[in-house]
Amino acid sequence: MNKMFAKFLKDESGAVTVDWVILTAGIVGLAIAVAVPIGMTTSERGDDIGSYVDNVTIATY
């Protein structure tokens, strides 16, 4: 039993997985932090363009 426990403590095969999970979570968090302000600004600009287009008069001859 002690040999199995000692082997378990020395095994580092899962450590890479933990590193990748933390790295991936950081990248996803950064992407969300960048995408939200861009999405909000784009929505506001789209509303501005829509209002402008609604107010344009088309000349008919």
Side-chain angles (χ1 to χ4, degrees):
M1 185 71 167
N2 285 338
K3 283 185 180 183
M4 278 183 30
F5 188 67
K7 183 180 176 185
F8 174 75
L9 289 178
K10 291 180 182 179
D11 187 18
E12 295 184 5
S13 62
V16 174
T17 304
V18 173
D19 291 343
W20 276 105
V21 167
I22 292 171
L23 181 64
T24 304
I27 291 171
V28 168
L30 183 62
I32 290 172
V34 169
V36 168
I38 290 173
M40 293 174 68
T41 303
T42 304
S43 177
E44 291 172 5
R45 295 299 163 243
D47 291 341
D48 293 344
I49 292 169
S51 297
Y52 175 77
V53 170
D54 285 340
N55 294 325
V56 171
T57 56
I58 299 174
T60 57
Y61 299 102

